[in-house]
Amino acid sequence: MKYYIIAGEASGDLHASNLMRALSELDSSAQFRYIGGDLMKDAGGSMLRHYKSTAYMGVWPVITHLRTILSAGKECFYDIKAFQPDIVILVDYPGFNLSIAKMVKKAKLNARVFYYISPKLWAWKSYRIKTIKKYVDKMYSILPFEVEFFERFNYKIEYVGNPSVDSVYEYKQKNIPVIETKEPIIAILAGSRKQEITRNLPVMLDALKQYKGYRLILAGAPSIEPEFYRNIIKDFPVEVLFGKTYQILDSAYAALVTSGTAALETALFNVPQVVCYKMPLGRFVNFMRRFVIKCKYVTLVNLIDNSPIIPEIVSHVTKKLICKELTQLLEKDSEQRNRQLAGYERVHSALGEPRAARNTALRILSEISQK
């Protein structure tokens, strides 16, 4: 069969490439055409354009590049018409992908439209459910609580597993030794983009000054040059290791983490953590969280369990708040540490077994066979 896949950012490129490999294993006639990145290119097929050409983040960059984005959408639609796929697979990236789904269905192309990694409508923009119900044949989710959320709108989706579970499982199968150390390790995961690192890392390091007898290791983001970290760290006694995030977590006693996938991965390694995410315009962000963003928590771990397993220090992040939470987690067998570890067990159970990409491929092919 012929598959047209659209991924609009680095994480989508990773997840889509894994799905492509799974589809190739199950469908020997698979042909791929896509918008994506280098990982999808390695998986085979032909690329229309690299996702970086339209990967604009934030309101203002999107507005200033709107003509480019709209042009890319039309180009993609005409390319789909020319390729004549049996299946269109949309991977996250809802602003762009939902417009493509609408174009494909309105043009009555002979293609089924599937969505892998559903948009986070439970956080905001829930109005998009109308577009999804109208133009997406089937949605595959990587977060178990999303199934119930979509059921409220009379739209049935399927949970297929979580790619982070797969990644951690694959790492552990390699039996990479933990980092040898005489002192317990506090891991620091300060984000992957320069802006969030600049905001969060200094206050994290300031809080860590009072903790003696610990080895501090910062997981360097692959897209960030070492000099950038050195300018922030200066002479502070912290190591920066690149390409070893999982090894750091596998060796850590506790962690300071920015929100996102990193917090979920930290939980999968059973490392007690404090989530810190400092943002500009803190009061405005807090207003948005109370009245616009429709979820109680920002970390996936808490959202999955629907409880405050991990302390979240968001928007207004201070040394005092970080130390208050971290100190309790560093105490061996403390109530807070044990409660967090018990919560992780529930999250592990909810996420289920690995092989999200293969599960998705199997279900897509099953859907097609029932047509």
Side-chain angles (χ1 to χ4, degrees):
M1 278 188 288
K2 297 170 75 173
Y3 304 85
Y4 202 104
I5 306 178
I6 305 171
E9 53 196 358
S11 61
D13 179 35
L14 171 63
H15 301 322
S17 67
N18 290 332
L19 180 57
M20 289 167 68
R21 291 188 177 89
L23 286 166
S24 295
E25 290 176 4
L26 297 167
D27 178 7
S28 59
S29 65
Q31 298 177 52
F32 298 106
R33 177 80 170 158
Y34 53 86
I35 291 176
D38 298 336
L39 297 176
M40 293 173 73
K41 187 176 180 180
D42 291 341
S46 60
M47 180 188 293
L48 169 64
R49 62 161 62 212
H50 201 286
Y51 71 82
K52 289 181 179 178
S53 64
T54 53
Y56 301 109
M57 301 291 289
V59 176
W60 184 245
V62 169
I63 291 173
T64 55
H65 294 90
L66 189 57
R67 182 175 293 182
T68 301
I69 295 170
L70 292 174
S71 175
K74 289 181 180 179
E75 179 190 30
C76 177
F77 170 67
Y78 290 125
D79 195 57
I80 291 172
K81 286 182 69 175
F83 185 63
Q84 297 184 344
D86 301 290
I87 301 169
V88 175
I89 301 175
L90 312 171
V91 184
D92 204 356
Y93 201 49
F96 186 89
N97 275 335
L98 288 177
S99 67
I100 295 298
K102 184 176 181 178
M103 284 189 264
V104 168
K105 288 298 185 180
K106 281 199 165 186
K108 297 183 179 179
L109 303 185
N110 189 29
R112 302 287 295 281
V113 177
F114 298 118
Y115 215 120
Y116 178 47
I117 307 181
S118 56
K120 298 174 179 60
L121 304 189
W122 37 266
W124 68 331
K125 295 187 178 181
S126 59
Y127 61 83
R128 282 176 167 168
I129 188 66
K130 294 179 181 178
T131 303
I132 291 170
K133 291 176 73 172
K134 196 170 183 179
Y135 302 115
V136 175
D137 293 304
K138 197 74 178 182
M139 179 86 75
Y140 300 102
S141 166
I142 63 169
L143 296 170
F145 64 85
E146 290 182 330
V147 174
E148 182 181 351
F149 172 83
F150 278 92
E151 281 179 353
R152 297 178 205 160
F153 298 90
N154 297 313
Y155 186 74
K156 185 178 180 180
I157 71 171
E158 296 184 27
Y159 173 67
V160 291
N162 190 282
S164 291
V165 175
D166 296 13
S167 299
V168 172
Y169 173 80
E170 289 166 9
Y171 168 84
K172 290 183 176 180
Q173 294 301 107
K174 297 174 184 177
N175 293 315
I176 296 172
V178 298
I179 298 171
E180 292 187 11
T181 181
K182 294 180 180 179
E183 303 168 317
I185 292 171
I186 297 178
I188 308 167
L189 283 72
S192 58
R193 297 190 295 272
K194 286 187 176 181
Q195 277 189 330
E196 62 183 356
I197 295 169
T198 301
R199 287 196 297 263
N200 290 287
L201 184 55
V203 69
M204 287 175 161
L205 296 179
D206 192 32
L208 289 169
K209 287 178 181 177
Q210 76 173 60
Y211 298 101
K212 309 301 180 184
Y214 292 92
R215 183 175 172 185
L216 309 178
I217 304 181
L218 170 64
S223 60
I224 306 297
E225 61 275 11
E227 184 64 25
F228 178 80
Y229 286 112
R230 283 196 291 269
N231 288 335
I232 297 175
I233 294 168
K234 297 183 173 60
D235 58 352
F236 192 83
V238 58
E239 303 167 55
V240 183
L241 299 181
F242 289 88
K244 295 185 177 182
T245 300
Y246 279 7
Q247 191 177 17
I248 294 168
L249 289 174
D250 200 19
S251 312
Y253 183 72
L256 295 182
V257 187
T258 57
S259 187
T261 303
L264 180 57
E265 291 172 329
T266 301
L268 291 171
F269 278 97
N270 289 315
V271 180
Q273 63 184 299
V274 179
V275 162
C276 326
Y277 202 82
K278 189 173 184 179
M279 291 180 280
L281 303 174
R283 288 184 179 179
F284 174 73
V285 172
N286 285 331
F287 171 84
M288 292 286 287
R289 289 188 68 195
R290 288 184 64 188
F291 299 106
V292 179
I293 300 174
K294 301 177 180 179
C295 52
K296 291 188 289 185
Y297 310 109
V298 299
T299 62
L300 293 176
V301 175
N302 293 349
L303 286 163
I304 290 167
D305 196 57
N306 194 28
S307 74
I309 295 173
I310 298 171
E312 299 177 347
I313 307 173
V314 181
S315 301
H316 182 63
V317 181
T318 66
K319 169 185 175 180
K320 183 177 179 180
L321 289 172
I322 293 174
C323 292
K324 177 185 174 183
E325 300 293 349
L326 182 60
T327 297
Q328 297 177 79
L329 294 180
L330 292 176
E331 295 174 6
K332 187 176 180 181
D333 292 327
S334 69
E335 179 183 350
Q336 289 78 6
R337 185 178 178 89
N338 289 334
R339 182 177 58 79
Q340 199 166 126
L341 293 173
Y344 286 172
E345 289 185 16
R346 297 193 300 272
V347 170
H348 295 176
S349 178
L351 289 173
E353 298 299 316
R355 307 194 82 178
R358 184 174 177 83
N359 289 341
T360 306
L362 284 167
R363 296 187 193 197
I364 287 173
L365 295 174
S366 176
E367 277 291 322
I368 291 297
S369 68
Q370 295 172 20
K371 184 178 178 181

